[in-house]
Amino acid sequence: MSGQAKHTPGPWFPQEVAYAPYRKLSVRCGRGQVALIQALETEEDEANARLIAAAPDLLAACRLTLGAINDLLAAQLEYPDPSPSLVQLAAIRSIEPARAAIAQAEGRGRS
């Protein structure tokens, strides 16, 4: 599998659809439906639909952040500082979760 996910490109957006007797939430994009969620009339269902709809943007943000962290760590190797800054420590702590999230989205991690 390549480094890029083979998902439907964003943007995605949640939309309520009527399927009697149930309420369903659809996650859609310009090309059609991406997901259909059977809802139980709860705010949690709507929040889940919004989270699913945000997935392409979240993946892009993770990739961008991971690139910035890698650049920061590479600069640290080139110009070592005997006392790492809080930014560098935060970068080190966040790099593995970002890598794991990207791998999962690309089908290389846990599902």
Side-chain angles (χ1 to χ4, degrees):
M1 176 174 276
S2 73
Q4 294 293 318
K6 302 203 184 322
H7 61 74
T8 304
W12 296 357
F13 55 93
Q15 181 180 46
E16 187 169 341
V17 290
Y19 283 96
Y22 305 104
R23 174 177 179 237
K24 295 196 178 193
L25 299 169
S26 176
V27 177
R28 304 187 62 77
C29 70
R31 296 179 2 188
Q33 184 169 285
V34 177
L36 185 63
I37 303 159
Q38 183 168 319
L40 300 172
E41 301 285 338
T42 68
E43 290 180 22
E44 183 178 17
D45 295 322
E46 293 174 15
N48 290 340
R50 287 191 303 271
L51 181 59
I52 292 167
D57 295 331
L58 291 169
L59 178 58
C62 276
R63 286 181 175 144
L64 184 65
T65 300
L66 186 57
I69 290 169
N70 285 331
D71 291 346
L72 177 67
L73 295 176
Q76 173 65 25
L77 290 175
E78 191 171 338
Y79 304 102
D81 180 354
S83 58
S85 71
L86 292 176
V87 172
Q88 292 162 334
L89 293 174
I92 291 166
R93 282 194 309 270
S94 63
I95 199 165
E96 284 309 314
R99 284 183 180 151
I102 293 168
Q104 183 178 357
E106 292 176 348
R108 299 181 287 113
R110 64 179 168 78
S111 55

